[in-house]
C-alpha cells in the first residue's frame, strides 16, 4: 500500500478488501514489473545468452533483482512490491 501512496495513485485506483487493486490483473502487474526492471537496470529481468534460456527463465519466473552498490534501495523495493502483486500466494 505504501507503494501506491508513494506514486500518488491511491485515489485513482480502487482498492479491494484484500488491499490490492481490482483494476490490474496479475499479468498486467507482471508486465509493469518487467518494464520497471528494464527502466531501472537497463536490461531484461530474464536476460540470457540464448533465446531458449531466456524463455525458460520467463516460464520459471526466475528473476534476480540486483542488490549491488549503485542501485537504489527504493527501486529494488518497488520491484519486490510489484512482483508480490503479480504473483499472489
Amino acid at each position: 500500500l505504501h507503494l501506491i501512496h508513494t506514486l500518488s495513485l491511491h485515489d485513482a485506483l480502487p482498492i479491494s478488501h484484500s488491499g490490492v487493486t481490482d483494476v490490474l490483473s496479475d499479468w498486467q502487474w507482471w508486465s509493469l514489473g518487467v518494464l520497471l526492471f528494464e527502466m531501472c537496470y537497463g536490461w531484461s529481468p530474464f536476460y540470457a545468452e540464448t533465446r531458449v534460456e531466456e524463455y525458460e527463465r520467463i516460464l520459471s519466473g526466475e528473476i534476480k533483482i540486483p542488490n549491488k552498490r549503485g542501485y537504489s534501495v527504493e527501486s529494488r523495493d518497488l520491484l519486490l512490491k510489484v512482483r508480490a502483486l503479480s504473483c499472489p500466494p
Side-chain angles (χ1 to χ4, degrees):
L1 268 286
H2 177 69
L3 161 70
I4 294 171
H5 288 287
T6 303
L7 296 176
S8 301
L9 295 176
H10 186 268
D11 296 328
L13 299 175
I15 305 297
S16 71
H17 295 302
S18 64
V20 294
T21 65
D22 289 330
V23 174
L24 299 177
S25 65
D26 293 346
W27 68 268
Q28 289 170 316
W29 283 114
W30 183 87
S31 299
L32 176 63
V34 171
L35 289 172
L36 287 172
F37 187 100
E38 291 183 8
M39 289 172 29
C40 291
Y41 300 108
W43 66 85
S44 167
F46 306 107
Y47 176 79
E49 294 295 321
T50 67
R51 190 168 291 209
V52 171
E53 188 180 351
E54 191 166 4
Y55 291 153
E56 288 173 354
R57 287 185 181 178
I58 291 169
L59 292 174
S60 72
E62 176 189 342
I63 296 176
K64 296 179 182 173
I65 300 173
N67 192 18
K68 298 179 182 176
R69 197 170 149 206
Y71 295 113
S72 78
V73 175
E74 293 83 8
S75 65
R76 180 176 174 75
D77 182 56
L78 174 65
L79 288 167
L80 289 172
K81 288 179 180 176
V82 170
R83 183 176 178 189
L85 289 171
S86 68
C87 305

